Each structure stands twice: as structure tokens, then as C-alpha cells.
Amino acid sequence: LSIDAGSEAMFYAGLYEAETNHVLRRFIAKARCLLDVGAACGELTAWALRSPRIERVLAYDVSPQRWPVFRE
């Protein structure tokens, strides 16, 4: 997963939309799989991949510019 730390650091630190991310991170901690539709920068995908319970993560974004990020 390629991360541009300068422009996307707030996403991956969980500071962007913190009130939403708090709820989603609680959900991810209990989930076994995640389908991230509209994955954008992949911040939820990255959180899910760090969770020991997660067995499978599928991430999709309609923007072709984002696709290489999720292929890594």
C-alpha cells in the first residue's frame, strides 16, 4: 500500500472525519471481512488490514487513478 504521508497523513492517522472513523474502527475490530466501496485513499482498508480478525478486504473506488494503490 503506497501512502503519500504529506497529503494523506490525516486520513491514515484517523483524524479525518474522526467521529465517523471512531464508529467504523469499532466495527472493523469485530469484523472478519470488509468491503470498502468508494475506498478513495484507502484509509479504512488500511485500518482493516491491521486488524488481526480480518480475513479478507475488498476495496473499490470508481476513480481509475486510485486503482494502483489497491493493487499493491
Side-chain angles (χ1 to χ4, degrees):
L1 183 62
S2 297
I3 299 173
D4 178 357
S7 65
E8 298 172 351
M10 286 186 62
F11 289 111
Y12 296 102
L15 301 175
Y16 181 77
E17 296 183 352
E19 61 284 340
T20 305
N21 283 333
H22 173 72
V23 173
L24 291 172
R25 278 185 264 148
R26 281 190 12 220
F27 169 77
I28 289 170
K30 297 176 184 178
R32 289 186 14 211
C33 64
L34 176 76
L35 173 59
D36 189 357
V37 177
C41 296
E43 66 272 21
L44 293 179
T45 299
W47 278 104
L49 291 170
R50 292 179 54 206
S51 174
R53 290 183 45 98
I54 291 288
E55 297 172 7
R56 185 172 189 156
V57 176
L58 301 171
Y60 177 76
D61 195 274
V62 71
S63 175
Q65 299 95 304
R66 298 288 185 185
W67 296 349
V69 171
F70 300 109
R71 287 191 178 123
E72 295 180 13

